[in-house]
């Protein structure tokens, strides 16, 4: 597949990941899953997952809080992973390139997203007028047009960035001093540690979560279980924990209902 074709597909993939954020919430808006699609399109799934995992940890605490619009991790991930892989560098070089590309792209598309949200306000007012007229058949096209605007706000920047960026990225990398590239490589290895530290800080605030951290450490350090096995055991324990918690909640609701019913009977007497 030509670079143009890959750039088109990566742009479409970025747009679809964006629609997932406002639609089914499957999870493709997250860097780790978004990078898998990049790996399939570019033909290097392994490097794409490594890049996605690094960016996932880097943007671990990025969330929409109130009216705040965070940097767009979708466009940053797809552009960074795509250019990093298509640059032809080795794994460490691809990760360093991805980080160098992902951050400015995510900040740029953040501004584009704010612009699109502002423009979509006119669609909202149009929908209000259509609703007042009692014609629901005109509401669906307005809804799809708004979704199309969000789709293009990711698809176009990602396509342009990858198509024009990947062609010259290797030449640019050759011009950058080796010390800078080495620094980016070291930073790419430090960032996951910072992300894990942030995650552990959140978990250590709750004693029930500390148990899982200790269990995972024992499984990996002393029982020599691989990371995948520890992750699968974590899913099992999380399911058991959730089932117990749900059962307690159900019993509390049932007891509360019985208590209310008993009170009503006493009043009837």
């Amino acid at each position: 597949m030509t670079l143009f074709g890959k750039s088109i597909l990566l742009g479409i993939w970025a747009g679809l990941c964006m629609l997932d954020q406002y639609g089914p919430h499957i999870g493709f808006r997250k860097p780790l899953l978004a990078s898998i699609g990049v790996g399939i399109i570019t033909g290097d799934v392994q490097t794409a997952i490594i890049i996605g995992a690094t960016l996932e940890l880097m943007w671990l605490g990025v969330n929409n809080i109130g009216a705040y619009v965070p940097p767009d991790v979708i466009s940053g991930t797809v552009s960074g992973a795509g250019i990093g892989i298509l640059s032809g560098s080795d794994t460490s070089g691809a990760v360093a390139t991805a980080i160098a590309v992902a951050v400015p792209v995510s900040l740029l598309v953040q501004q584009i997203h704010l612009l699109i949200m502002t423009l979509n306000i006119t669609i909202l007012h149009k929908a209000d007028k259509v609703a007042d007229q009692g014609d629901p058949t005109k509401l669906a096209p307005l809804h799809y047009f708004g979704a199309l605007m969000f789709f293009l706000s990711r698809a176009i920047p990602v396509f342009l960035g990858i198509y024009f960026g990947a062609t010259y990225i290797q030449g640019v990398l050759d011009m950058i001093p080796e010390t800078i590239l080495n620094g980016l490589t070291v930073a790419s290895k430090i960032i996951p540690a910072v992300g894990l530290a942030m995650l552990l800080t959140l978990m250590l605030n709750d004693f029930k979560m500390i148990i899982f951290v200790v269990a995972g450490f024992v499984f990996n350090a002393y029982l020599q279980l691989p990371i995948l096995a520890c992750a699968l055991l974590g899913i099992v324990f999380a399911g058991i924990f959730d089932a117990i918690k749900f059962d307690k909640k159900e019993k509390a609701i049932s007891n509360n209902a019985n208590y209310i019913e008993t009170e009503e009977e006493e009043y009837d007497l």
Side-chain angles (χ1 to χ4, degrees), residues 2-268:
T2 63
L3 175 61
F4 181 79
K6 291 180 180 179
S7 300
I8 286 286
L9 291 179
L10 289 172
I12 294 174
W13 174 242
L16 293 176
C17 291
M18 178 60 205
L19 293 182
D20 176 62
Q21 182 170 341
Y22 289 101
H25 287 275
I26 298 174
F28 290 116
R29 66 191 185 280
K30 304 298 290 182
L32 185 57
L33 291 182
S35 64
I36 294 177
V38 177
I40 294 173
I41 294 171
T42 58
D44 191 349
V45 177
Q46 180 177 350
T47 303
I49 292 177
I50 294 173
I51 293 173
T54 303
L55 296 176
E56 181 79 47
L57 292 171
M58 183 177 73
W59 281 321
L60 190 65
V62 174
N63 289 295
N64 295 75
I65 301 176
Y68 170 69
V69 178
D72 186 66
V73 300
I74 294 174
S75 57
T77 299
V78 177
S79 298
I83 292 178
I85 294 172
L86 294 175
S87 66
S89 305
D90 56 10
T91 302
S92 60
V95 173
T97 302
I99 294 175
V101 172
V103 174
V105 169
S106 66
L107 294 174
L108 171 62
V109 178
Q110 176 190 33
Q111 304 305 314
I112 296 176
H113 181 71
L114 290 171
L115 176 62
I116 294 300
M117 292 179 67
T118 304
L119 294 176
N120 276 354
I121 292 176
T122 59
I123 301 176
L124 180 62
H125 292 318
K126 178 66 175 177
D128 289 337
K129 293 180 180 179
V130 171
D132 290 338
Q133 295 172 0
D135 190 358
T137 58
K138 295 181 180 180
L139 287 175
L142 295 173
H143 177 78
Y144 292 131
F145 182 75
L148 178 63
M149 295 287 285
F150 281 121
F151 176 87
L152 294 177
S153 68
R154 270 63 177 182
I156 293 177
V158 169
F159 163 73
L160 294 175
I162 292 177
Y163 181 67
F164 292 104
T167 306
Y168 306 102
I169 192 66
Q170 190 58 53
V172 173
L173 289 175
D174 293 337
M175 297 171 57
I176 298 176
E178 187 176 355
T179 53
I180 296 179
L181 291 178
N182 290 337
L184 290 173
T185 301
V186 172
S188 68
K189 299 181 185 301
I190 294 176
I191 286 171
V194 175
L196 286 174
M198 294 170 58
L199 179 61
L200 287 174
T201 301
L202 295 174
M203 295 181 68
L204 294 176
N205 289 331
D206 190 344
F207 176 74
K208 294 188 287 291
M209 297 296 105
I210 300 176
I211 299 174
F212 293 103
V213 176
V214 175
F217 176 77
V218 171
F219 288 144
N220 182 254
Y222 292 97
L223 301 181
Q224 302 298 318
L225 292 179
I227 296 298
L228 179 59
C230 292
L232 293 176
L233 285 173
I235 294 174
V236 173
F237 288 143
I240 296 173
F241 178 80
D242 187 67
I244 294 173
K245 188 175 181 181
F246 180 77
D247 184 60
K248 288 183 178 180
K249 184 178 181 181
E250 285 289 311
K251 288 182 179 179
I253 294 174
S254 177
N255 292 335
N256 187 44
N258 293 334
Y259 175 75
I260 294 174
E261 184 178 352
T262 303
E263 276 195 332
E264 290 178 350
E265 291 177 354
E266 291 177 352
Y267 284 122
D268 289 341

